[in-house]
Amino acid sequence: MLDVTVLTLFPNMFEGVFGESIFKRAVENGAARVNLVNFREFATDRHKTVDDAPFGGGAGMLLKAPPLFDAMAAIPRETDPLSRERVVLLTPQGRRFTQQVAEDFSRQSRLVFICGHYEGVDERVRQELVTDEISIGDFVLTGGEIAAMAVLDAVVRLLPGVLGNEQSAPDDSFSSGLLEYPQYTRPAEYRGLSVPPVLLSGNHALIEEWRRKHALYRTWVRRPDMLEHVALSVREQVWVAAWEQGDFSGIDVVERRDI
Ligand code: ADE
């Protein structure tokens, strides 16, 4: 059971995502539990202020430390120092989110997400409360909520019993270190476009080889950076060498290079 708490000023933003599909199933199956906390409730002044101007001047407002410290103190926490609890601040300054981070988070027992807003958060929140700062890419969102939803989606689908088909997670792009191979379903012939005959042959060894070759080829074209981390067999190295010479004779689904 993964216990998730989200500290946010906009809890309503999560309702659509948590109420549908895989997320809903994860909660119903008992794979995950989600708790939304509006930390504005922990502001102590009459106006429920959660932000203030930075010391030293400058544009923009910062999230104040006290409402976040008090919200963290109020939620259930793991007290065991060996506990698998992580407190994740979503911020464009964070470490880049990847499938590896999703796998790491999916092995925890408790995740707390702090959704930043405005120009940032008081540095003491980072120092004292946060174990991980995570960015979902090199662009700036107006707040951490959409980033937290993206991270949670990637994590929850890895929990045991959440995906209907247990096969689908390990085959994904990234877990093998390669992008996914091209896939087809019925009809075998559509608008003059036919499915590569190997896939209809029933020969599983050939199908496996075709898939590996096309996954590798697709990765070689689109994400050559990923190949630096994949160990290739001698045969696979021969395929790549042929493509590097401009020989695509074993390839059924030629890639456009501008995708
Ligand atoms: N908050 C604002 N921009 C973000 C980003 N790119 N990733 C995570 N959190 C953010």
Side-chain angles (χ1 to χ4, degrees):
M1 157 76 75
L2 175 68
D3 202 305
V4 178
T5 299
V6 183
L7 304 191
T8 171
L9 296 171
F10 300 95
N12 293 344
M13 283 180 73
F14 290 84
E15 268 161 25
V17 172
F18 288 165
E20 297 290 337
S21 181
I22 285 188
F23 233 104
K24 190 171 170 189
R25 180 138 43 99
V27 173
E28 284 169 0
N29 285 353
R33 181 164 53 205
V34 190
N35 178 25
L36 290 165
V37 175
N38 186 343
F39 59 90
R40 191 179 293 283
E41 288 164 16
F42 294 86
T44 48
D45 64 313
R46 206 155 53 87
H47 297 106
K48 298 277 175 208
T49 310
V50 290
D51 61 324
D52 208 338
F55 282 120
M61 299 289 269
L62 299 180
L63 286 176
K64 293 159 65 70
L68 283 166
F69 273 72
D70 291 345
M72 286 294 283
I75 63 176
R77 300 290 298 277
E78 300 265 356
T79 45
D80 181 347
L82 298 176
S83 77
R84 290 173 297 131
E85 177 184 85
R86 307 283 275 278
V87 179
V88 181
L89 175 69
L90 286 316
T91 163
Q93 299 171 36
R95 168 165 68 104
R96 180 77 71 85
F97 187 62
T98 61
Q99 189 65 21
Q100 235 174 352
V101 179
E103 283 164 16
D104 175 18
F105 285 177
S106 75
R107 289 189 287 264
Q108 307 302 310
S109 50
R110 171 180 284 275
L111 295 174
V112 181
F113 291 91
I114 300 179
C115 301
H117 251 269
Y118 310 106
E119 302 302 310
V121 301
D122 187 293
E123 189 63 20
R124 290 164 292 193
V125 170
R126 289 202 156 84
Q127 278 171 356
E128 296 293 318
L129 300 179
V130 168
T131 62
D132 297 81
E133 296 184 41
I134 294 291
S135 165
I136 61 162
D138 290 344
F139 44 81
V140 181
L141 302 165
T142 54
E145 281 77 11
I146 291 172
M149 289 181 225
V151 170
L152 266 169
D153 189 277
V155 170
V156 164
R157 64 187 288 287
L158 296 176
L159 298 175
V162 170
L163 289 188
N165 177 357
E166 296 290 336
Q167 265 306 126
S168 7
D171 255 6
D172 285 341
S173 291
F174 303 114
S175 12
S176 67
L178 298 178
L179 300 179
E180 262 189 274
Y181 45 80
Q183 301 198 76
Y184 301 84
T185 185
R186 274 179 278 271
E189 174 95 24
Y190 183 64
R191 299 195 173 197
L193 302 168
S194 47
V195 173
V198 178
L199 300 178
L200 310 175
S201 70
N203 182 330
H204 291 293
L206 280 183
I207 292 170
E208 272 316 302
E209 171 174 297
W210 187 96
R211 288 181 166 167
R212 179 77 186 173
K213 184 186 279 182
H214 286 77
L216 183 57
Y217 170 66
R218 179 160 278 183
T219 311
W220 177 77
V221 173
R222 298 185 187 193
R223 291 290 307 277
D225 56 299
M226 287 170 65
L227 292 184
E228 287 162 26
H229 312 288
V230 184
L232 299 183
S233 69
V234 172
R235 194 160 56 144
E236 289 164 349
Q237 291 173 36
V238 170
W239 294 339
V240 171
W243 304 332
E244 274 163 5
Q245 304 295 312
D247 172 6
F248 301 104
S249 49
I251 293 297
D252 289 327
V253 191
V254 174
E255 291 279 340
R256 286 175 29 220
R257 284 190 174 253
D258 55 355
I259 288 176

